[in-house]
Amino acid sequence: MDLQARTERLAQLLEHRLDIRGAGFEVKLKRAGRLLPRYVRKEGALLVEALRQAAHPRLARRLDIDRLSRAADALERHLLDVDPWDRRRGIAVMGAASVLFKLLVVAALALGVLFWRDYL
């Protein structure tokens, strides 16, 4: 398993699926934050640490390739399950619902004031 190529693919998936920009896998994973479940964040942190160790020749020999492969597979599986359009649609619906609720509260307050002042 080529760790560098695998993390670059994961960085591309983070950008396309979650709309996260950044200058590499580590930055994108950090920016993803709570958009990812805890177990996926832990697997990503494991991959980031492995990237740091892979830069050092003696530490690179100590890497557990099978564990890193499972971590990359878990992260990739999760990112492939994310539908970017459905996520964007959900954000838009929640924003519209928030605005509508605020308008409803303001209208109710205005009607309350009108009743209180005997205009209605």
Side-chain angles (χ1 to χ4, degrees), residues 10-24:
L10 292 171
Q12 288 174 351
L13 281 174
L14 281 168
E15 186 170 341
H16 288 81
R17 297 292 180 146
L18 297 178
D19 294 329
I20 296 175
R21 307 270 189 260

Side-chain angles (χ1 to χ4, degrees), residues 20-75:
I20 296 175
R21 307 270 189 260
F25 177 68
E26 183 176 359
V27 173
K28 289 179 184 181
L29 189 68
K30 185 176 181 180
R31 287 186 182 171
R34 293 202 171 204
L35 293 176
L36 298 172
R38 183 181 299 161
Y39 77 94
V40 174
R41 286 193 308 258
K42 285 183 181 180
E43 301 292 351
L46 181 71
L47 290 171
V48 167
E49 185 60 32
L51 277 175
R52 289 181 186 152
Q53 288 182 0
H56 193 278
R58 285 189 181 179
L59 294 177
R61 286 184 263 157
R62 299 182 63 204
L63 293 176
D64 184 7
I65 300 301
D66 293 332
R67 175 69 181 106
L68 295 175
S69 179
R70 286 194 310 268
D73 289 341
L75 186 56

